[in-house]
Amino acid sequence: MTEGNYSTVTEFVLAGLTEQPELHRPLFLPFLGIYVLTVVGNLGMITLISLSSHLHTPMYYLLSSLSLSFIDLCNSTIVTPKMLVNFVMEKNVISFPQCMTQLYFFIVFGISECHMLATMAYDRYVAICSPLLYNVTMPSQVCCWLIAEVHSMGLVGATAHTVCMVRVLFCKADVINHYFCDLLPLLELSCSSTFINEVVVLFFSAFNILLPALTILSSYIFIISSILRIRSTEGRTKAFSSCRSRILAVAVFCGSLSFMYLQPSSVSSMNRGKVSSVFYTTVVPMLHPLIYSLKNRDVKVALKKFLEQRKFL
């Protein structure tokens, strides 16, 4: 086929989470509620940490809450509103530039979140396994450097994927079998070779999913080993309770990403992929404020003081 036979695609139609219209209205309210909780929870954490001076420490201000809350808020806002539109409109159209923009920022914050979770796991490893050296190992300068590195990896990965994507020729169909512009559903519409794109997806997915997952796994192995040496049963139980919720959230996030991006295209199912995407784009960002912040004693104390101050105003 010659180049002249290709038609220029100016817009796409998002198929949505489900192609069954009778499920659209029942799904709208639950996902709207999840999105509202995500926005309120993450904006609340950003506000609380900004206003509470005793939380202006590397662990809270840079690693645990402010950066992760910002990433979760952005990632959810990039994806979820378009999903909600699909529930109330018969045809959810997105222009080609808007689609590439959504793809770019989704990848930026998706990759950043993977490495941020790994950074947080390392931070907890240093705090628990080497508490006397924590201030030396994790000063503010190191934390700032880690944050910059995390977001730089997101920018590099997103730029590579988006540049490869805009070179793809689309001529088969304009319906994306997903509720947002994602890499694999877009590649399914291509009528030119996608070999380079698939290699780039596999390389960056392995680097940005497996490497952080191994960092998190090794960090928590050392943390659990340290917890087991605690003589107090109550202390061990409390420490395990905190670690269990964090490990569960990381497992859901990394597991759903791996299911979507680390499978060969010949065996992957886009319908199952859409379900797994719900976890890392919608559910996990809602859970993070609870797991990483609201279950923390210092944050609870700061929230209580904040509410008391507002009460007496």
Side-chain angles (χ1 to χ4, degrees):
M1 185 180 287
T2 61
E3 188 174 345
N5 291 331
Y6 293 113
S7 59
T8 303
V9 174
T10 58
E11 63 183 25
F12 295 103
V13 177
L14 295 172
L17 181 61
T18 175
E19 296 179 2
Q20 300 177 5
E22 64 273 13
L23 295 178
H24 285 181
R25 287 190 178 181
L27 288 173
F28 176 78
L29 285 179
F31 279 98
L32 177 62
I34 290 173
Y35 180 61
V36 170
L37 288 174
T38 301
V39 172
V40 171
N42 287 292
L43 273 181
M45 286 312 308
I46 292 173
T47 304
L48 181 63
I49 292 168
S50 299
L51 297 178
S52 302
S53 58
H54 74 281
L55 293 181
H56 291 182
T57 62
M59 184 182 74
Y60 293 110
Y61 192 68
L62 290 174
L63 294 176
S64 293
S65 298
L66 187 58
S67 294
L68 185 64
S69 293
F70 175 73
I71 290 171
D72 282 336
L73 179 63
C74 292
N75 215 356
S76 184
T77 301
I78 288 164
V79 172
T80 309
K82 264 295 179 184
M83 181 202 293
L84 295 174
V85 169
N86 220 102
F87 290 145
V88 297
M89 294 184 64
E90 291 185 5
K91 192 175 182 182
N92 189 8
V93 177
I94 184 170
S95 68
F96 184 85
Q98 288 174 338
C99 186
M100 292 300 106
T101 302
Q102 186 186 50
L103 175 69
Y104 180 81
F105 284 105
F106 166 72
I107 297 173
V108 167
F109 292 113
I111 292 176
S112 297
E113 181 153 5
C114 290
H115 291 283
M116 182 62 67
L117 291 172
T119 303
M120 291 166 60
Y122 175 72
D123 171 74
R124 291 297 82 210
Y125 157 73
V126 176
I128 294 173
C129 299
S130 305
L132 297 179
L133 298 176
Y134 179 77
N135 290 331
V136 176
T137 308
M138 299 292 290
S140 298
Q141 296 87 341
V142 172
C143 292
C144 290
W145 180 81
L146 287 172
I147 296 298
E149 185 180 24
V150 162
H151 291 291
S152 297
M153 288 181 179
L155 291 171
V156 170
T159 302
H161 283 301
T162 308
V163 168
C164 290
M165 187 61 69
V166 296
R167 296 170 61 88
V168 171
L169 294 172
F170 298 98
C171 61
K172 287 183 180 178
D174 61 353
V175 179
I176 300 173
N177 187 20
H178 215 309
Y179 55 86
F180 69 100
C181 291
D182 199 4
L183 289 166
L184 301 183
L186 280 168
L187 292 178
E188 285 189 346
L189 303 181
S190 170
C191 54
S192 59
S193 174
T194 60
F195 175 76
I196 294 177
N197 297 73
E198 290 175 2
V199 170
V200 171
V201 169
L202 187 61
F203 171 77
F204 277 98
S205 297
F207 178 77
N208 293 310
I209 298 174
L210 294 182
L211 182 61
L214 289 174
T215 303
I216 293 166
L217 180 62
S218 58
S219 296
Y220 277 106
I221 286 174
F222 285 112
I223 289 172
I224 292 171
S225 175
S226 226
I227 291 172
L228 290 174
R229 291 196 292 268
I230 299 175
R231 294 183 179 181
S232 166
T233 305
E234 183 181 353
R236 283 200 305 270
T237 303
K238 188 179 294 185
F240 271 124
S241 175
S242 174
C243 287
R244 186 170 60 245
S245 57
R246 296 186 181 201
I247 292 172
L248 178 61
V250 170
V252 170
F253 182 78
C254 293
S256 56
L257 279 175
S258 301
F259 182 84
M260 185 70 181
Y261 298 106
L262 293 180
Q263 285 192 93
S265 57
S266 58
V267 300
S268 62
S269 167
M270 197 51 61
N271 289 328
R272 291 198 301 268
K274 284 194 284 187
V275 175
S276 70
S277 299
V278 170
F279 288 98
Y280 61 79
T281 62
T282 308
V283 177
V284 172
M286 178 192 67
L287 295 177
H288 275 160
L290 174 65
I291 292 172
Y292 287 98
S293 302
L294 296 181
K295 288 188 70 175
N296 185 285
R297 184 176 60 83
D298 293 335
V299 176
K300 286 181 180 179
V301 171
L303 180 60
K304 185 177 180 181
K305 288 182 178 179
F306 177 79
L307 294 175
E308 287 177 351
Q309 289 174 356
R310 296 282 131 354
K311 185 177 179 181
F312 290 109
L313 286 180

